[in-house]
mmCIF file with all atom_site columns, all heavy atoms in Angstrom:
data_model
loop_
_atom_site.group_PDB
_atom_site.id
_atom_site.type_symbol
_atom_site.label_atom_id
_atom_site.label_alt_id
_atom_site.label_comp_id
_atom_site.label_asym_id
_atom_site.label_entity_id
_atom_site.label_seq_id
_atom_site.pdbx_PDB_ins_code
_atom_site.Cartn_x
_atom_site.Cartn_y
_atom_site.Cartn_z
_atom_site.occupancy
_atom_site.B_iso_or_equiv
_atom_site.pdbx_formal_charge
_atom_site.auth_seq_id
_atom_site.auth_comp_id
_atom_site.auth_asym_id
_atom_site.auth_atom_id
_atom_site.pdbx_PDB_model_num
ATOM 1   N N   . ASN G 1 1  ? 6.930   -7.882  -5.180 1.00 95.00 ? 120 ASN G N   1
ATOM 2   C CA  . ASN G 1 1  ? 5.990   -7.585  -4.082 1.00 95.00 ? 120 ASN G CA  1
ATOM 3   C C   . ASN G 1 1  ? 6.309   -6.250  -3.406 1.00 95.00 ? 120 ASN G C   1
ATOM 4   O O   . ASN G 1 1  ? 6.261   -6.110  -2.173 1.00 95.00 ? 120 ASN G O   1
ATOM 5   C CB  . ASN G 1 1  ? 6.009   -8.714  -3.052 1.00 95.00 ? 120 ASN G CB  1
ATOM 6   C CG  . ASN G 1 1  ? 4.738   -8.761  -2.214 1.00 95.00 ? 120 ASN G CG  1
ATOM 7   O OD1 . ASN G 1 1  ? 3.660   -8.393  -2.677 1.00 95.00 ? 120 ASN G OD1 1
ATOM 8   N ND2 . ASN G 1 1  ? 4.855   -9.197  -0.977 1.00 95.00 ? 120 ASN G ND2 1
ATOM 9   N N   . GLU G 1 2  ? 6.630   -5.239  -4.221 1.00 97.00 ? 121 GLU G N   1
ATOM 10  C CA  . GLU G 1 2  ? 7.079   -3.956  -3.684 1.00 97.00 ? 121 GLU G CA  1
ATOM 11  C C   . GLU G 1 2  ? 5.994   -3.239  -2.883 1.00 97.00 ? 121 GLU G C   1
ATOM 12  O O   . GLU G 1 2  ? 6.299   -2.567  -1.890 1.00 97.00 ? 121 GLU G O   1
ATOM 13  C CB  . GLU G 1 2  ? 7.553   -3.050  -4.827 1.00 97.00 ? 121 GLU G CB  1
ATOM 14  C CG  . GLU G 1 2  ? 8.855   -3.498  -5.477 1.00 97.00 ? 121 GLU G CG  1
ATOM 15  C CD  . GLU G 1 2  ? 9.305   -2.545  -6.567 1.00 97.00 ? 121 GLU G CD  1
ATOM 16  O OE1 . GLU G 1 2  ? 8.613   -1.521  -6.787 1.00 97.00 ? 121 GLU G OE1 1
ATOM 17  O OE2 . GLU G 1 2  ? 10.349  -2.807  -7.200 1.00 97.00 ? 121 GLU G OE2 1
ATOM 18  N N   . LEU G 1 3  ? 4.732   -3.371  -3.286 1.00 97.00 ? 122 LEU G N   1
ATOM 19  C CA  . LEU G 1 3  ? 3.667   -2.625  -2.614 1.00 97.00 ? 122 LEU G CA  1
ATOM 20  C C   . LEU G 1 3  ? 3.512   -3.065  -1.169 1.00 97.00 ? 122 LEU G C   1
ATOM 21  O O   . LEU G 1 3  ? 3.522   -2.241  -0.250 1.00 97.00 ? 122 LEU G O   1
ATOM 22  C CB  . LEU G 1 3  ? 2.340   -2.787  -3.372 1.00 97.00 ? 122 LEU G CB  1
ATOM 23  C CG  . LEU G 1 3  ? 1.129   -2.120  -2.735 1.00 97.00 ? 122 LEU G CG  1
ATOM 24  C CD1 . LEU G 1 3  ? 1.331   -0.613  -2.632 1.00 97.00 ? 122 LEU G CD1 1
ATOM 25  C CD2 . LEU G 1 3  ? -0.143  -2.433  -3.532 1.00 97.00 ? 122 LEU G CD2 1
ATOM 26  N N   . PHE G 1 4  ? 3.385   -4.354  -0.936 1.00 96.00 ? 123 PHE G N   1
ATOM 27  C CA  . PHE G 1 4  ? 3.128   -4.836  0.419  1.00 96.00 ? 123 PHE G CA  1
ATOM 28  C C   . PHE G 1 4  ? 4.352   -4.654  1.313  1.00 96.00 ? 123 PHE G C   1
ATOM 29  O O   . PHE G 1 4  ? 4.228   -4.476  2.529  1.00 96.00 ? 123 PHE G O   1
ATOM 30  C CB  . PHE G 1 4  ? 2.719   -6.312  0.386  1.00 96.00 ? 123 PHE G CB  1
ATOM 31  C CG  . PHE G 1 4  ? 2.072   -6.785  1.656  1.00 96.00 ? 123 PHE G CG  1
ATOM 32  C CD1 . PHE G 1 4  ? 0.769   -6.440  1.949  1.00 96.00 ? 123 PHE G CD1 1
ATOM 33  C CD2 . PHE G 1 4  ? 2.771   -7.570  2.563  1.00 96.00 ? 123 PHE G CD2 1
ATOM 34  C CE1 . PHE G 1 4  ? 0.167   -6.870  3.126  1.00 96.00 ? 123 PHE G CE1 1
ATOM 35  C CE2 . PHE G 1 4  ? 2.181   -8.002  3.731  1.00 96.00 ? 123 PHE G CE2 1
ATOM 36  C CZ  . PHE G 1 4  ? 0.872   -7.647  4.016  1.00 96.00 ? 123 PHE G CZ  1
ATOM 37  N N   . GLU G 1 5  ? 5.541   -4.693  0.712  1.00 95.00 ? 124 GLU G N   1
ATOM 38  C CA  . GLU G 1 5  ? 6.770   -4.591  1.499  1.00 95.00 ? 124 GLU G CA  1
ATOM 39  C C   . GLU G 1 5  ? 7.248   -3.150  1.659  1.00 95.00 ? 124 GLU G C   1
ATOM 40  O O   . GLU G 1 5  ? 8.341   -2.919  2.183  1.00 95.00 ? 124 GLU G O   1
ATOM 41  C CB  . GLU G 1 5  ? 7.856   -5.451  0.857  1.00 95.00 ? 124 GLU G CB  1
ATOM 42  C CG  . GLU G 1 5  ? 7.530   -6.947  0.890  1.00 95.00 ? 124 GLU G CG  1
ATOM 43  C CD  . GLU G 1 5  ? 8.587   -7.796  0.209  1.00 95.00 ? 124 GLU G CD  1
ATOM 44  O OE1 . GLU G 1 5  ? 9.632   -7.243  -0.178 1.00 95.00 ? 124 GLU G OE1 1
ATOM 45  O OE2 . GLU G 1 5  ? 8.363   -9.011  0.073  1.00 95.00 ? 124 GLU G OE2 1
ATOM 46  N N   . GLY G 1 6  ? 6.462   -2.185  1.183  1.00 95.00 ? 125 GLY G N   1
ATOM 47  C CA  . GLY G 1 6  ? 6.791   -0.786  1.412  1.00 95.00 ? 125 GLY G CA  1
ATOM 48  C C   . GLY G 1 6  ? 7.900   -0.244  0.537  1.00 95.00 ? 125 GLY G C   1
ATOM 49  O O   . GLY G 1 6  ? 8.521   0.764   0.877  1.00 95.00 ? 125 GLY G O   1
ATOM 50  N N   . ARG G 1 7  ? 8.140   -0.890  -0.623 1.00 96.00 ? 126 ARG G N   1
ATOM 51  C CA  . ARG G 1 7  ? 9.200   -0.443  -1.522 1.00 96.00 ? 126 ARG G CA  1
ATOM 52  C C   . ARG G 1 7  ? 8.667   0.120   -2.835 1.00 96.00 ? 126 ARG G C   1
ATOM 53  O O   . ARG G 1 7  ? 9.443   0.480   -3.714 1.00 96.00 ? 126 ARG G O   1
ATOM 54  C CB  . ARG G 1 7  ? 10.159  -1.601  -1.814 1.00 96.00 ? 126 ARG G CB  1
ATOM 55  C CG  . ARG G 1 7  ? 10.941  -2.062  -0.581 1.00 96.00 ? 126 ARG G CG  1
ATOM 56  C CD  . ARG G 1 7  ? 11.892  -3.208  -0.884 1.00 96.00 ? 126 ARG G CD  1
ATOM 57  N NE  . ARG G 1 7  ? 11.176  -4.467  -1.099 1.00 96.00 ? 126 ARG G NE  1
ATOM 58  C CZ  . ARG G 1 7  ? 11.012  -5.041  -2.274 1.00 96.00 ? 126 ARG G CZ  1
ATOM 59  N NH1 . ARG G 1 7  ? 11.478  -4.478  -3.366 1.00 96.00 ? 126 ARG G NH1 1
ATOM 60  N NH2 . ARG G 1 7  ? 10.363  -6.190  -2.370 1.00 96.00 ? 126 ARG G NH2 1
ATOM 61  N N   . TYR G 1 8  ? 7.346   0.194   -2.978 1.00 97.00 ? 127 TYR G N   1
ATOM 62  C CA  . TYR G 1 8  ? 6.770   0.717   -4.219 1.00 97.00 ? 127 TYR G CA  1
ATOM 63  C C   . TYR G 1 8  ? 6.856   2.244   -4.200 1.00 97.00 ? 127 TYR G C   1
ATOM 64  O O   . TYR G 1 8  ? 6.378   2.890   -3.256 1.00 97.00 ? 127 TYR G O   1
ATOM 65  C CB  . TYR G 1 8  ? 5.314   0.269   -4.366 1.00 97.00 ? 127 TYR G CB  1
ATOM 66  C CG  . TYR G 1 8  ? 4.702   0.657   -5.694 1.00 97.00 ? 127 TYR G CG  1
ATOM 67  C CD1 . TYR G 1 8  ? 4.786   -0.192  -6.786 1.00 97.00 ? 127 TYR G CD1 1
ATOM 68  C CD2 . TYR G 1 8  ? 4.060   1.885   -5.856 1.00 97.00 ? 127 TYR G CD2 1
ATOM 69  C CE1 . TYR G 1 8  ? 4.243   0.161   -8.005 1.00 97.00 ? 127 TYR G CE1 1
ATOM 70  C CE2 . TYR G 1 8  ? 3.523   2.243   -7.083 1.00 97.00 ? 127 TYR G CE2 1
ATOM 71  C CZ  . TYR G 1 8  ? 3.620   1.387   -8.146 1.00 97.00 ? 127 TYR G CZ  1
ATOM 72  O OH  . TYR G 1 8  ? 3.082   1.741   -9.375 1.00 97.00 ? 127 TYR G OH  1
ATOM 73  N N   . GLU G 1 9  ? 7.447   2.808   -5.244 1.00 96.00 ? 128 GLU G N   1
ATOM 74  C CA  . GLU G 1 9  ? 7.689   4.246   -5.285 1.00 96.00 ? 128 GLU G CA  1
ATOM 75  C C   . GLU G 1 9  ? 6.740   4.949   -6.242 1.00 96.00 ? 128 GLU G C   1
ATOM 76  O O   . GLU G 1 9  ? 6.463   4.455   -7.340 1.00 96.00 ? 128 GLU G O   1
ATOM 77  C CB  . GLU G 1 9  ? 9.138   4.532   -5.695 1.00 96.00 ? 128 GLU G CB  1
ATOM 78  C CG  . GLU G 1 9  ? 10.162  4.074   -4.680 1.00 96.00 ? 128 GLU G CG  1
ATOM 79  C CD  . GLU G 1 9  ? 11.573  4.489   -5.052 1.00 96.00 ? 128 GLU G CD  1
ATOM 80  O OE1 . GLU G 1 9  ? 11.761  5.049   -6.163 1.00 96.00 ? 128 GLU G OE1 1
ATOM 81  O OE2 . GLU G 1 9  ? 12.495  4.265   -4.237 1.00 96.00 ? 128 GLU G OE2 1
ATOM 82  N N   . VAL G 1 10 ? 6.243   6.085   -5.810 1.00 96.00 ? 129 VAL G N   1
ATOM 83  C CA  . VAL G 1 10 ? 5.493   7.021   -6.648 1.00 96.00 ? 129 VAL G CA  1
ATOM 84  C C   . VAL G 1 10 ? 6.207   8.361   -6.550 1.00 96.00 ? 129 VAL G C   1
ATOM 85  O O   . VAL G 1 10 ? 6.450   8.858   -5.436 1.00 96.00 ? 129 VAL G O   1
ATOM 86  C CB  . VAL G 1 10 ? 4.025   7.157   -6.188 1.00 96.00 ? 129 VAL G CB  1
ATOM 87  C CG1 . VAL G 1 10 ? 3.291   8.160   -7.071 1.00 96.00 ? 129 VAL G CG1 1
ATOM 88  C CG2 . VAL G 1 10 ? 3.318   5.803   -6.220 1.00 96.00 ? 129 VAL G CG2 1
ATOM 89  N N   . ASP G 1 11 ? 6.559   8.914   -7.689 1.00 95.00 ? 130 ASP G N   1
ATOM 90  C CA  . ASP G 1 11 ? 7.320   10.174  -7.733 1.00 95.00 ? 130 ASP G CA  1
ATOM 91  C C   . ASP G 1 11 ? 8.642   10.068  -6.978 1.00 95.00 ? 130 ASP G C   1
ATOM 92  O O   . ASP G 1 11 ? 9.079   10.996  -6.290 1.00 95.00 ? 130 ASP G O   1
ATOM 93  C CB  . ASP G 1 11 ? 6.495   11.341  -7.161 1.00 95.00 ? 130 ASP G CB  1
ATOM 94  C CG  . ASP G 1 11 ? 5.258   11.633  -7.994 1.00 95.00 ? 130 ASP G CG  1
ATOM 95  O OD1 . ASP G 1 11 ? 5.244   11.238  -9.179 1.00 95.00 ? 130 ASP G OD1 1
ATOM 96  O OD2 . ASP G 1 11 ? 4.319   12.237  -7.463 1.00 95.00 ? 130 ASP G OD2 1
ATOM 97  N N   . GLY G 1 12 ? 9.274   8.894   -7.067 1.00 94.00 ? 131 GLY G N   1
ATOM 98  C CA  . GLY G 1 12 ? 10.597  8.735   -6.494 1.00 94.00 ? 131 GLY G CA  1
ATOM 99  C C   . GLY G 1 12 ? 10.643  8.474   -5.007 1.00 94.00 ? 131 GLY G C   1
ATOM 100 O O   . GLY G 1 12 ? 11.723  8.358   -4.425 1.00 94.00 ? 131 GLY G O   1
ATOM 101 N N   . ARG G 1 13 ? 9.497   8.346   -4.351 1.00 96.00 ? 132 ARG G N   1
ATOM 102 C CA  . ARG G 1 13 ? 9.445   8.092   -2.918 1.00 96.00 ? 132 ARG G CA  1
ATOM 103 C C   . ARG G 1 13 ? 8.508   6.916   -2.641 1.00 96.00 ? 132 ARG G C   1
ATOM 104 O O   . ARG G 1 13 ? 7.453   6.803   -3.274 1.00 96.00 ? 132 ARG G O   1
ATOM 105 C CB  . ARG G 1 13 ? 8.968   9.329   -2.164 1.00 96.00 ? 132 ARG G CB  1
ATOM 106 C CG  . ARG G 1 13 ? 9.915   10.531  -2.240 1.00 96.00 ? 132 ARG G CG  1
ATOM 107 C CD  . ARG G 1 13 ? 9.216   11.778  -1.709 1.00 96.00 ? 132 ARG G CD  1
ATOM 108 N NE  . ARG G 1 13 ? 8.672   11.564  -0.380 1.00 96.00 ? 132 ARG G NE  1
ATOM 109 C CZ  . ARG G 1 13 ? 7.622   12.238  0.104  1.00 96.00 ? 132 ARG G CZ  1
ATOM 110 N NH1 . ARG G 1 13 ? 7.006   13.143  -0.644 1.00 96.00 ? 132 ARG G NH1 1
ATOM 111 N NH2 . ARG G 1 13 ? 7.201   12.004  1.336  1.00 96.00 ? 132 ARG G NH2 1
ATOM 112 N N   . PRO G 1 14 ? 8.866   6.039   -1.688 1.00 97.00 ? 133 PRO G N   1
ATOM 113 C CA  . PRO G 1 14 ? 8.023   4.881   -1.415 1.00 97.00 ? 133 PRO G CA  1
ATOM 114 C C   . PRO G 1 14 ? 6.724   5.265   -0.716 1.00 97.00 ? 133 PRO G C   1
ATOM 115 O O   . PRO G 1 14 ? 6.656   6.272   -0.004 1.00 97.00 ? 133 PRO G O   1
ATOM 116 C CB  . PRO G 1 14 ? 8.894   4.007   -0.506 1.00 97.00 ? 133 PRO G CB  1
ATOM 117 C CG  . PRO G 1 14 ? 9.847   4.951   0.134  1.00 97.00 ? 133 PRO G CG  1
ATOM 118 C CD  . PRO G 1 14 ? 10.101  6.035   -0.877 1.00 97.00 ? 133 PRO G CD  1
ATOM 119 N N   . ILE G 1 15 ? 5.709   4.446   -0.932 1.00 97.00 ? 134 ILE G N   1
ATOM 120 C CA  . ILE G 1 15 ? 4.431   4.594   -0.235 1.00 97.00 ? 134 ILE G CA  1
ATOM 121 C C   . ILE G 1 15 ? 4.249   3.392   0.687  1.00 97.00 ? 134 ILE G C   1
ATOM 122 O O   . ILE G 1 15 ? 4.866   2.343   0.482  1.00 97.00 ? 134 ILE G O   1
ATOM 123 C CB  . ILE G 1 15 ? 3.243   4.706   -1.202 1.00 97.00 ? 134 ILE G CB  1
ATOM 124 C CG1 . ILE G 1 15 ? 3.162   3.472   -2.113 1.00 97.00 ? 134 ILE G CG1 1
ATOM 125 C CG2 . ILE G 1 15 ? 3.344   5.982   -2.032 1.00 97.00 ? 134 ILE G CG2 1
ATOM 126 C CD1 . ILE G 1 15 ? 1.920   3.420   -2.991 1.00 97.00 ? 134 ILE G CD1 1
ATOM 127 N N   . ALA G 1 16 ? 3.405   3.532   1.684  1.00 96.00 ? 135 ALA G N   1
ATOM 128 C CA  . ALA G 1 16 ? 3.198   2.454   2.664  1.00 96.00 ? 135 ALA G CA  1
ATOM 129 C C   . ALA G 1 16 ? 1.709   2.238   2.883  1.00 96.00 ? 135 ALA G C   1
ATOM 130 O O   . ALA G 1 16 ? 0.957   3.190   3.148  1.00 96.00 ? 135 ALA G O   1
ATOM 131 C CB  . ALA G 1 16 ? 3.879   2.797   3.984  1.00 96.00 ? 135 ALA G CB  1
ATOM 132 N N   . LEU G 1 17 ? 1.279   0.982   2.786  1.00 95.00 ? 136 LEU G N   1
ATOM 133 C CA  . LEU G 1 17 ? -0.133  0.664   3.021  1.00 95.00 ? 136 LEU G CA  1
ATOM 134 C C   . LEU G 1 17 ? -0.535  0.972   4.451  1.00 95.00 ? 136 LEU G C   1
ATOM 135 O O   . LEU G 1 17 ? -1.704  1.253   4.736  1.00 95.00 ? 136 LEU G O   1
ATOM 136 C CB  . LEU G 1 17 ? -0.394  -0.807  2.702  1.00 95.00 ? 136 LEU G CB  1
ATOM 137 C CG  . LEU G 1 17 ? -0.223  -1.234  1.233  1.00 95.00 ? 136 LEU G CG  1
ATOM 138 C CD1 . LEU G 1 17 ? -0.308  -2.739  1.113  1.00 95.00 ? 136 LEU G CD1 1
ATOM 139 C CD2 . LEU G 1 17 ? -1.280  -0.569  0.357  1.00 95.00 ? 136 LEU G CD2 1
ATOM 140 N N   . GLY G 1 18 ? 0.419   0.921   5.376  1.00 92.00 ? 137 GLY G N   1
ATOM 141 C CA  . GLY G 1 18 ? 0.118   1.216   6.768  1.00 92.00 ? 137 GLY G CA  1
ATOM 142 C C   . GLY G 1 18 ? -0.299  2.649   7.012  1.00 92.00 ? 137 GLY G C   1
ATOM 143 O O   . GLY G 1 18 ? -0.828  2.968   8.087  1.00 92.00 ? 137 GLY G O   1
ATOM 144 N N   . ASP G 1 19 ? -0.075  3.539   6.016  1.00 94.00 ? 138 ASP G N   1
ATOM 145 C CA  . ASP G 1 19 ? -0.509  4.933   6.153  1.00 94.00 ? 138 ASP G CA  1
ATOM 146 C C   . ASP G 1 19 ? -2.007  5.109   5.892  1.00 94.00 ? 138 ASP G C   1
ATOM 147 O O   . ASP G 1 19 ? -2.550  6.189   6.120  1.00 94.00 ? 138 ASP G O   1
ATOM 148 C CB  . ASP G 1 19 ? 0.272   5.828   5.182  1.00 94.00 ? 138 ASP G CB  1
ATOM 149 C CG  . ASP G 1 19 ? 1.735   5.960   5.561  1.00 94.00 ? 138 ASP G CG  1
ATOM 150 O OD1 . ASP G 1 19 ? 2.057   5.701   6.735  1.00 94.00 ? 138 ASP G OD1 1
ATOM 151 O OD2 . ASP G 1 19 ? 2.553   6.298   4.684  1.00 94.00 ? 138 ASP G OD2 1
ATOM 152 N N   . ILE G 1 20 ? -2.661  4.046   5.391  1.00 94.00 ? 139 ILE G N   1
ATOM 153 C CA  . ILE G 1 20 ? -4.096  4.140   5.077  1.00 94.00 ? 139 ILE G CA  1
ATOM 154 C C   . ILE G 1 20 ? -4.893  3.885   6.347  1.00 94.00 ? 139 ILE G C   1
ATOM 155 O O   . ILE G 1 20 ? -5.035  2.743   6.798  1.00 94.00 ? 139 ILE G O   1
ATOM 156 C CB  . ILE G 1 20 ? -4.494  3.120   3.985  1.00 94.00 ? 139 ILE G CB  1
ATOM 157 C CG1 . ILE G 1 20 ? -3.627  3.295   2.742  1.00 94.00 ? 139 ILE G CG1 1
ATOM 158 C CG2 . ILE G 1 20 ? -5.977  3.270   3.633  1.00 94.00 ? 139 ILE G CG2 1
ATOM 159 C CD1 . ILE G 1 20 ? -3.861  2.222   1.682  1.00 94.00 ? 139 ILE G CD1 1
ATOM 160 N N   . HIS G 1 21 ? -5.401  4.925   6.952  1.00 93.00 ? 140 HIS G N   1
ATOM 161 C CA  . HIS G 1 21 ? -6.200  4.787   8.175  1.00 93.00 ? 140 HIS G CA  1
ATOM 162 C C   . HIS G 1 21 ? -7.671  5.003   7.830  1.00 93.00 ? 140 HIS G C   1
ATOM 163 O O   . HIS G 1 21 ? -8.278  6.013   8.199  1.00 93.00 ? 140 HIS G O   1
ATOM 164 C CB  . HIS G 1 21 ? -5.723  5.780   9.227  1.00 93.00 ? 140 HIS G CB  1
ATOM 165 C CG  . HIS G 1 21 ? -4.286  5.596   9.607  1.00 93.00 ? 140 HIS G CG  1
ATOM 166 N ND1 . HIS G 1 21 ? -3.838  4.535   10.359 1.00 93.00 ? 140 HIS G ND1 1
ATOM 167 C CD2 . HIS G 1 21 ? -3.184  6.336   9.308  1.00 93.00 ? 140 HIS G CD2 1
ATOM 168 C CE1 . HIS G 1 21 ? -2.534  4.619   10.529 1.00 93.00 ? 140 HIS G CE1 1
ATOM 169 N NE2 . HIS G 1 21 ? -2.107  5.704   9.902  1.00 93.00 ? 140 HIS G NE2 1
ATOM 170 N N   . LEU G 1 22 ? -8.227  4.048   7.106  1.00 94.00 ? 141 LEU G N   1
ATOM 171 C CA  . LEU G 1 22 ? -9.611  4.140   6.638  1.00 94.00 ? 141 LEU G CA  1
ATOM 172 C C   . LEU G 1 22 ? -10.307 2.806   6.869  1.00 94.00 ? 141 LEU G C   1
ATOM 173 O O   . LEU G 1 22 ? -9.662  1.748   6.826  1.00 94.00 ? 141 LEU G O   1
ATOM 174 C CB  . LEU G 1 22 ? -9.654  4.472   5.140  1.00 94.00 ? 141 LEU G CB  1
ATOM 175 C CG  . LEU G 1 22 ? -9.140  5.835   4.697  1.00 94.00 ? 141 LEU G CG  1
ATOM 176 C CD1 . LEU G 1 22 ? -9.023  5.881   3.183  1.00 94.00 ? 141 LEU G CD1 1
ATOM 177 C CD2 . LEU G 1 22 ? -10.074 6.940   5.189  1.00 94.00 ? 141 LEU G CD2 1
ATOM 178 N N   . PRO G 1 23 ? -11.613 2.823   7.096  1.00 95.00 ? 142 PRO G N   1
ATOM 179 C CA  . PRO G 1 23 ? -12.335 1.547   7.147  1.00 95.00 ? 142 PRO G CA  1
ATOM 180 C C   . PRO G 1 23 ? -12.286 0.862   5.790  1.00 95.00 ? 142 PRO G C   1
ATOM 181 O O   . PRO G 1 23 ? -12.432 1.508   4.753  1.00 95.00 ? 142 PRO G O   1
ATOM 182 C CB  . PRO G 1 23 ? -13.763 1.955   7.529  1.00 95.00 ? 142 PRO G CB  1
ATOM 183 C CG  . PRO G 1 23 ? -13.858 3.408   7.218  1.00 95.00 ? 142 PRO G CG  1
ATOM 184 C CD  . PRO G 1 23 ? -12.499 3.978   7.347  1.00 95.00 ? 142 PRO G CD  1
ATOM 185 N N   . MET G 1 24 ? -12.043 -0.445  5.808  1.00 96.00 ? 143 MET G N   1
ATOM 186 C CA  . MET G 1 24 ? -11.899 -1.197  4.562  1.00 96.00 ? 143 MET G CA  1
ATOM 187 C C   . MET G 1 24 ? -12.824 -2.404  4.575  1.00 96.00 ? 143 MET G C   1
ATOM 188 O O   . MET G 1 24 ? -12.979 -3.082  5.595  1.00 96.00 ? 143 MET G O   1
ATOM 189 C CB  . MET G 1 24 ? -10.456 -1.646  4.370  1.00 96.00 ? 143 MET G CB  1
ATOM 190 C CG  . MET G 1 24 ? -10.232 -2.468  3.104  1.00 96.00 ? 143 MET G CG  1
ATOM 191 S SD  . MET G 1 24 ? -8.488  -2.829  2.793  1.00 96.00 ? 143 MET G SD  1
ATOM 192 C CE  . MET G 1 24 ? -7.901  -1.215  2.282  1.00 96.00 ? 143 MET G CE  1
ATOM 193 N N   . PHE G 1 25 ? -13.412 -2.661  3.415  1.00 97.00 ? 144 PHE G N   1
ATOM 194 C CA  . PHE G 1 25 ? -14.276 -3.828  3.218  1.00 97.00 ? 144 PHE G CA  1
ATOM 195 C C   . PHE G 1 25 ? -13.642 -4.654  2.097  1.00 97.00 ? 144 PHE G C   1
ATOM 196 O O   . PHE G 1 25 ? -13.558 -4.197  0.958  1.00 97.00 ? 144 PHE G O   1
ATOM 197 C CB  . PHE G 1 25 ? -15.692 -3.393  2.830  1.00 97.00 ? 144 PHE G CB  1
ATOM 198 C CG  . PHE G 1 25 ? -16.733 -4.479  2.936  1.00 97.00 ? 144 PHE G CG  1
ATOM 199 C CD1 . PHE G 1 25 ? -17.561 -4.544  4.043  1.00 97.00 ? 144 PHE G CD1 1
ATOM 200 C CD2 . PHE G 1 25 ? -16.896 -5.423  1.943  1.00 97.00 ? 144 PHE G CD2 1
ATOM 201 C CE1 . PHE G 1 25 ? -18.536 -5.528  4.162  1.00 97.00 ? 144 PHE G CE1 1
ATOM 202 C CE2 . PHE G 1 25 ? -17.863 -6.414  2.040  1.00 97.00 ? 144 PHE G CE2 1
ATOM 203 C CZ  . PHE G 1 25 ? -18.688 -6.471  3.154  1.00 97.00 ? 144 PHE G CZ  1
ATOM 204 N N   . ALA G 1 26 ? -13.157 -5.851  2.423  1.00 97.00 ? 145 ALA G N   1
ATOM 205 C CA  . ALA G 1 26 ? -12.472 -6.693  1.442  1.00 97.00 ? 145 ALA G CA  1
ATOM 206 C C   . ALA G 1 26 ? -13.310 -7.927  1.151  1.00 97.00 ? 145 ALA G C   1
ATOM 207 O O   . ALA G 1 26 ? -13.709 -8.648  2.073  1.00 97.00 ? 145 ALA G O   1
ATOM 208 C CB  . ALA G 1 26 ? -11.095 -7.096  1.955  1.00 97.00 ? 145 ALA G CB  1
ATOM 209 N N   . VAL G 1 27 ? -13.571 -8.166  -0.134 1.00 98.00 ? 146 VAL G N   1
ATOM 210 C CA  . VAL G 1 27 ? -14.373 -9.310  -0.574 1.00 98.00 ? 146 VAL G CA  1
ATOM 211 C C   . VAL G 1 27 ? -13.473 -10.274 -1.338 1.00 98.00 ? 146 VAL G C   1
ATOM 212 O O   . VAL G 1 27 ? -12.717 -9.873  -2.224 1.00 98.00 ? 146 VAL G O   1
ATOM 213 C CB  . VAL G 1 27 ? -15.541 -8.871  -1.477 1.00 98.00 ? 146 VAL G CB  1
ATOM 214 C CG1 . VAL G 1 27 ? -16.364 -10.086 -1.925 1.00 98.00 ? 146 VAL G CG1 1
ATOM 215 C CG2 . VAL G 1 27 ? -16.424 -7.868  -0.749 1.00 98.00 ? 146 VAL G CG2 1
ATOM 216 N N   . ALA G 1 28 ? -13.540 -11.558 -0.979 1.00 97.00 ? 147 ALA G N   1
ATOM 217 C CA  . ALA G 1 28 ? -12.825 -12.609 -1.704 1.00 97.00 ? 147 ALA G CA  1
ATOM 218 C C   . ALA G 1 28 ? -13.825 -13.696 -2.073 1.00 97.00 ? 147 ALA G C   1
ATOM 219 O O   . ALA G 1 28 ? -14.919 -13.779 -1.495 1.00 97.00 ? 147 ALA G O   1
ATOM 220 C CB  . ALA G 1 28 ? -11.703 -13.181 -0.842 1.00 97.00 ? 147 ALA G CB  1
ATOM 221 N N   . THR G 1 29 ? -13.449 -14.536 -3.035 1.00 97.00 ? 148 THR G N   1
ATOM 222 C CA  . THR G 1 29 ? -14.334 -15.625 -3.460 1.00 97.00 ? 148 THR G CA  1
ATOM 223 C C   . THR G 1 29 ? -13.614 -16.964 -3.301 1.00 97.00 ? 148 THR G C   1
ATOM 224 O O   . THR G 1 29 ? -12.406 -17.064 -3.524 1.00 97.00 ? 148 THR G O   1
ATOM 225 C CB  . THR G 1 29 ? -14.786 -15.447 -4.926 1.00 97.00 ? 148 THR G CB  1
ATOM 226 O OG1 . THR G 1 29 ? -13.644 -15.484 -5.793 1.00 97.00 ? 148 THR G OG1 1
ATOM 227 C CG2 . THR G 1 29 ? -15.496 -14.109 -5.100 1.00 97.00 ? 148 THR G CG2 1
#
């Protein structure tokens, strides 16, 4: 679960979902 926990790395550095400051539309079924 590296992505949600802020441990997923791209180019050797982690990325964080909290950096996404955009309107989001999420659909589930």
Side-chain angles (χ1 to χ4, degrees):
N120 202 30
E121 290 182 2
L122 177 61
F123 196 76
E124 295 178 7
R126 294 180 287 107
Y127 186 90
E128 294 185 355
V129 179
D130 296 339
R132 295 168 54 207
I134 58 173
L136 295 171
D138 291 340
I139 305 174
H140 300 288
L141 294 170
M143 179 173 288
F144 194 99
V146 180
T148 62

